[in-house]
Amino acid sequence: MFRACDVLVLNKLDLLPHLQFDRERFFEYARTVNPRLRVFQVSALRGDGLEEWCSWLVDRSDPRAEAH
């Protein structure tokens, strides 16, 4: 999955204080498979990272935009 994708979106950042999840290790493993991954960390509840993620989506959907 990570080898074929361009983007990794980690959602639910607001839950991380309640979980045993090592974000850095997760990203390290994903980038081992695909070093070109673009990573977005978002929390829909708090709004963290949504502006950057949505901007990326809009840019990618613009037919006038250069290939990324």
Side-chain angles (χ1 to χ4, degrees), residues 5-67:
C5 66
D6 297 323
V7 173
L8 184 152
V9 178
L10 178 62
N11 191 17
K12 303 290 187 184
L13 290 181
D14 47 286
L15 293 178
L16 289 177
H18 309 288
L19 303 172
Q20 292 182 350
F21 181 75
D22 187 337
R23 260 191 292 190
E24 295 310 313
R25 181 177 277 178
F26 173 73
F27 295 137
E28 181 182 328
Y29 289 158
R31 285 196 171 113
T32 298
V33 175
N34 183 347
R36 297 173 313 278
L37 273 177
R38 175 76 187 268
V39 173
F40 294 96
Q41 298 183 59
V42 300
S43 168
L45 180 66
R46 296 187 312 227
D48 300 347
L50 288 178
E51 186 173 334
E52 184 182 12
W53 166 235
C54 289
S55 291
W56 185 88
L57 285 172
V58 168
D59 289 346
R60 297 285 290 199
S61 66
D62 185 347
R64 298 166 296 170
E66 296 180 28

